[in-house]
Amino acid sequence: ILIQLPIFCFSQGEFNQWRFGNHAGLNFNFSPPVSVSGSALNNFVSVNQSDSLGNLLFYSDGSTIWNRNNAVMQNGSGLYCNTYSLSVLIIPDPGISSQYFLFTVGPWDIFPAWQGLFYSKIDMTLAGGLGGVIPGMKNIPVPGGGNVSNGIIGTRHRNNHDAWLVVRPVSPQIYQSYLITPSGLNTTPVSSNSIENYTYPLTSGPGVFPKISQDGTKLITGYAWDSVSEFCHFDNLTGTVSPQFKVQARLRGVNYGTGSGAFSKNAKYVYMFVSIPFIHPIGYPDRLVVQFDADLNDSTQFAQSQVVIDSSYISTSFFQLGPNDQLYFSRNGVDSLGTINFPNLPSPGCNFQLNVVSLNGNIGYGELPQFLQRYKTYFHHTGDCLRDTVNFTSDIWPPPDSIRWNFGDPSSGAANTSMLANPSHSFTSSGSHLVELYVRHNDNRRDTTWQTITILPAPQPALGPDQTICAPQTATFDAGACTGCTYQWDDLTTMTMNIGTGQTYTTGTPGLYRVNVTGANGCIGRDTVQLSIGTPVAVSVTIATGSTTVCNGTQVTFSATGQPAGNSLSYQWKVNGMDAGSNNPVFTYSPSNGDCIVCSMTSTDACATGNPATSNQICMTVNQLNPVSLSISSTSTHTCAGTPVTFN
């Protein structure tokens, strides 16, 4: 099923369900996301929470919480919330997996006692698994949060377990970072100065739009009434915000106010809406969309990196990064969402599009759901050819404690698995391979993602063994026939590329030659062969022995010496013209009288001439064996002592 149906399968779908705007909804468990009906939400702000499989748990506009059945959650109404722009945020409890903090900012225009930062605690084990707000834990004021504006945002702590809630009070003009750990909410925030002294109409309340990059290192805050944004660095270890400079867009020599923005997934670029002094026909201010290079820390260089990626004066003001890493934005009065399809790329490669995702008649006005940085486990690969290197790149957040790859290629043996972050693999067979990436995080969370990749067959040229030829001979190498293929021959000795484009290549020049055969599918097969050039040399052989005269029955050894030396030689010994032994430069036998011995030698050297060569002839004299006899006599056989006796 995994191979035949979904190409990508993930177990981290906590933010795959969106409910927002005027009863609009999207399901990101599909690609592209599909519209969902039945949402009870009709408001400017929204937050959503799903389980790891992408099943909806609950959603809220900050004042009401609805469960997965689109019914008001148990004890889920009457929350204090401004219901305007970034005034609500969900942060999962790091200590209890079934519980969630729902932070809200109270309204500014009525009941001053409701102003400020509050939280309510949701327990998904209540109401038979539909969840509910824990009794006595609703609208709890956060100490020090009485002057917090509507713009609140969250990110994960560097330990990949805890979380930061970052808020922007308007008096004093500071940032405050609250830490959420398994022990709960730390009510003593980390305070950081802001470089923007924010002013706003008291009747409207503050319009503050902060966004933190996915890696938790950059923060940009838009200020609605001041028409300026503040670019900051964020330390996700300490919670400190370090403002760098203010941001405005410059068009035709005039500065214009920047509003809300959002970072690309890799934090390389930030996209912002620019308010311009025109009025849309339906009554909303018109806006352009610009891209800045967020890696630039110099304010002048940052400003100069501005690129206008859309000038259609759309009526919208909020971006949100989707689970598929595309940036989405809503448009007032329009039943579809626009996208920036490749936000990691510079314009125009980022590919801005209007009216891409249909909402089936529902209006997605206002803010799209914002989320705490999500866990994600994806990977990408380049290359898809057999026996070529396929490079894999892991795309994981937070940084994992350990990872393990399985390339679905068991024939590759030990190379089928890897513990590297960005490994490479050469597949041993073409076709579909289910590649698995398993991740374990420091908080003991485990994620697994799969991707079915198709490895294409590649040509397999075979040029044969290395060759040696003798000048002025030539050698022809044949890469083999291949339907729809193209050929390129290279001389790797001189690094001269593309010396031939045919199936065969003929040359008389020594060197190391390579053929690249490109198939119709773009895959390349390669082979190399070494060509050597030899000097002509005549074949010769001589034989020798210790003695040419021996007695009958004596073993005699003959030895041959051949030229060219050091090459592969074959020998054939003959006695009186008859074959007697081969393939050995030494010949031993018992000759008869008058036997004549010669040796023929053949060389396989490409430059050998005069094959085969015949040695000198050695003829043997063999003497017959004669019996030996001996007798003795003496002058006497009996004698007296002292008398000499002669023996003969």
Side-chain angles (χ1 to χ4, degrees):
I1 291 174
L2 288 174
I3 293 174
Q4 294 178 353
L5 294 181
I7 297 178
F8 298 94
C9 302
F10 307 109
S11 61
Q12 56 281 348
E14 289 90 345
F15 311 127
N16 281 7
Q17 298 288 345
W18 287 16
R19 304 296 184 267
F20 56 95
N22 184 2
H23 308 294
L26 284 178
N27 184 347
F28 281 87
N29 291 317
F30 300 90
S31 182
V34 299
S35 178
V36 177
S37 300
S39 169
L41 189 147
N42 182 12
N43 213 323
F44 194 84
V45 299
S46 64
V47 286
N48 301 243
Q49 184 66 48
S50 302
D51 63 20
S52 63
L53 297 178
N55 300 310
L56 179 66
L57 295 179
F58 62 91
Y59 57 98
S60 175
D61 64 358
S63 61
T64 303
I65 307 170
W66 292 273
N67 61 30
R68 63 175 179 265
N69 293 333
N70 302 306
V72 176
M73 179 179 281
Q74 177 179 299
N75 196 25
S77 61
L79 279 69
Y80 300 161
C81 187
N82 188 15
T83 66
Y84 175 77
S85 180
L86 304 179
S87 56
V88 59
L89 180 69
I90 298 170
I91 295 183
D93 188 327
I96 307 174
S97 60
S98 62
Q99 294 189 9
Y100 300 84
F101 290 91
L102 183 69
F103 291 94
T104 60
V105 178
W108 281 77
D109 52 352
I110 58 173
F111 300 105
W114 289 3
Q115 292 181 2
L117 181 64
F118 300 86
Y119 76 89
S120 302
K121 197 71 178 297
I122 298 170
D123 187 345
M124 290 306 299
T125 65
L126 299 177
L130 292 175
V133 176
I134 300 172
M137 298 197 71
K138 182 165 67 175
N139 294 328
I140 299 175
V142 176
N147 289 314
V148 167
S149 66
N150 54 279
I152 60 176
I153 197 70
T155 188
R156 294 199 180 275
H157 188 282
R158 195 176 300 175
N159 63 16
N160 307 326
H161 184 263
D162 303 333
W164 291 105
L165 172 70
V166 182
V167 300
R168 176 58 164 85
V170 294
S171 178
Q173 303 278 354
I174 61 173
Y175 290 95
Q176 292 181 169
S177 301
Y178 290 90
L179 183 61
I180 297 94
T181 72
S183 300
L185 172 67
N186 185 338
T187 57
T188 302
V190 177
S191 296
S192 306
N193 291 327
S194 170
I195 59 175
E196 173 62 13
N197 293 319
Y198 182 45
T199 59
Y200 58 92
L202 293 177
T203 57
S204 300
V208 179
F209 316 118
K211 281 288 184 178
I212 295 179
S213 61
Q214 284 288 299
D215 61 3
T217 63
K218 300 172 184 176
L219 182 150
I220 194 162
T221 303
Y223 297 92
W225 310 113
D226 283 5
S227 298
V228 71
S229 296
E230 184 178 17
F231 186 79
C232 310
H233 288 165
F234 182 73
D235 189 331
N236 57 10
L237 177 65
T238 65
T240 302
V241 177
S242 300
Q244 302 298 299
F245 48 80
K246 297 180 183 181
V247 178
Q248 281 189 305
R250 189 168 181 82
L251 305 171
R252 297 180 296 274
V254 178
N255 289 333
Y256 292 98
T258 50
S260 63
F263 290 93
S264 58
K265 185 200 68 175
N266 63 1
K268 167 67 175 175
Y269 298 103
V270 63
Y271 296 85
M272 305 197 72
F273 290 102
V274 180
S275 299
I276 57 176
F278 299 101
I279 300 297
H280 191 276
I282 64 173
Y284 296 99
D286 291 313
R287 294 179 173 88
L288 303 179
V289 181
V290 295
Q291 179 195 69
F292 292 99
D293 187 339
D295 281 346
L296 299 174
N297 294 317
D298 178 81
S299 59
T300 300
Q301 293 178 347
F302 185 95
Q304 291 173 346
S305 73
Q306 172 192 298
V307 179
V308 177
I309 66 170
D310 177 74
S311 56
S312 57
Y313 305 108
I314 58 177
S315 295
T316 185
S317 53
F318 297 100
F319 281 119
Q320 184 54 268
L321 190 66
N324 57 5
D325 299 330
Q326 295 178 354
L327 277 174
Y328 291 83
F329 58 89
S330 60
R331 300 182 64 200
N332 294 314
V334 178
D335 65 344
S336 64
L337 298 183
T339 62
I340 298 178
N341 293 309
F342 308 106
N344 286 343
L345 299 179
S347 178
C350 60
N351 190 220
F352 181 97
Q353 288 184 296
L354 294 172
N355 308 325
V356 175
V357 182
S358 172
L359 300 178
N360 289 338
N362 298 307
I363 306 301
Y365 70 90
E367 173 197 332
L368 295 175
Q370 67 162 332
F371 306 102
L372 185 72
Q373 273 178 327
R374 65 192 184 94
Y375 284 88
K376 64 188 178 81
T377 302
Y378 303 118
F379 65 84
H380 314 281
H381 78 281
T382 57
D384 54 5
C385 293
L386 181 64
R387 294 186 177 87
D388 204 355
T389 299
V390 179
N391 297 307
F392 292 89
T393 303
S394 59
D395 183 5
I396 304 169
W397 184 263
D401 175 69
S402 60
I403 64 176
R404 183 183 69 240
W405 296 82
N406 185 306
F407 300 111
D409 184 23
S411 298
S412 63
N416 189 42
T417 59
S418 176
M419 309 293 281
L420 299 176
N422 301 310
S424 59
H425 184 72
S426 179
F427 285 86
T428 60
S429 62
S430 58
S432 296
H433 294 266
L434 185 63
V435 180
E436 176 187 271
L437 173 59
Y438 167 85
V439 175
R440 185 173 69 85
H441 292 282
N442 290 344
D443 60 1
N444 209 33
R445 175 191 171 108
R446 292 168 171 82
D447 281 321
T448 306
T449 184
W450 301 268
Q451 187 180 147
T452 299
I453 68 173
T454 300
I455 299 300
L456 303 175
Q460 300 182 45
L463 300 180
D466 294 341
Q467 294 190 33
T468 299
I469 61 174
C470 183
Q473 296 174 338
T474 61
T476 297
F477 303 113
D478 191 340
C482 178
T483 303
C485 292
T486 59
Y487 301 83
Q488 176 182 315
W489 294 86
D490 303 324
D491 185 344
L492 300 183
T493 300
T494 62
M495 295 307 294
T496 304
M497 304 294 108
N498 202 19
I499 58 176
T501 57
Q503 175 183 329
T504 62
Y505 181 71
T506 300
T507 182
T509 303
L512 179 64
Y513 294 92
R514 177 181 64 192
V515 65
N516 305 283
V517 183
T518 304
N521 58 10
C523 291
I524 301 176
R526 300 176 176 88
D527 194 22
T528 57
V529 64
Q530 181 78 48
L531 178 65
S532 301
I533 306 297
T535 302
V537 58
V539 178
S540 64
V541 59
T542 58
I543 60 174
T545 187
S547 175
T548 58
T549 301
V550 295
C551 294
N552 186 34
T554 302
Q555 290 275 335
V556 179
T557 297
F558 300 86
S559 60
T561 302
Q563 293 292 333
N567 291 276
S568 178
L569 305 173
S570 61
Y571 301 86
Q572 179 64 58
W573 294 89
K574 294 184 178 183
V575 177
N576 302 326
M578 303 295 292
D579 291 343
S582 61
N583 285 334
N584 200 317
V586 176
F587 175 58
T588 300
Y589 92 115
S590 298
S592 299
N593 188 42
D595 283 352
C596 292
I597 297 89
V598 296
C599 180
S600 295
M601 187 192 75
T602 302
S603 171
T604 59
D605 190 296
C607 294
T609 61
N611 268 325
T614 302
S615 71
N616 55 304
Q617 178 176 271
I618 296 178
C619 295
M620 300 297 298
T621 299
V622 180
N623 296 318
Q624 296 297 320
L625 298 178
N626 295 313
V628 178
S629 62
L630 178 66
S631 62
I632 63 174
S633 61
S634 63
T635 55
S636 175
T637 58
H638 296 83
T639 185
C640 294
T643 301
V645 177
T646 299
F647 297 88
N648 185 47

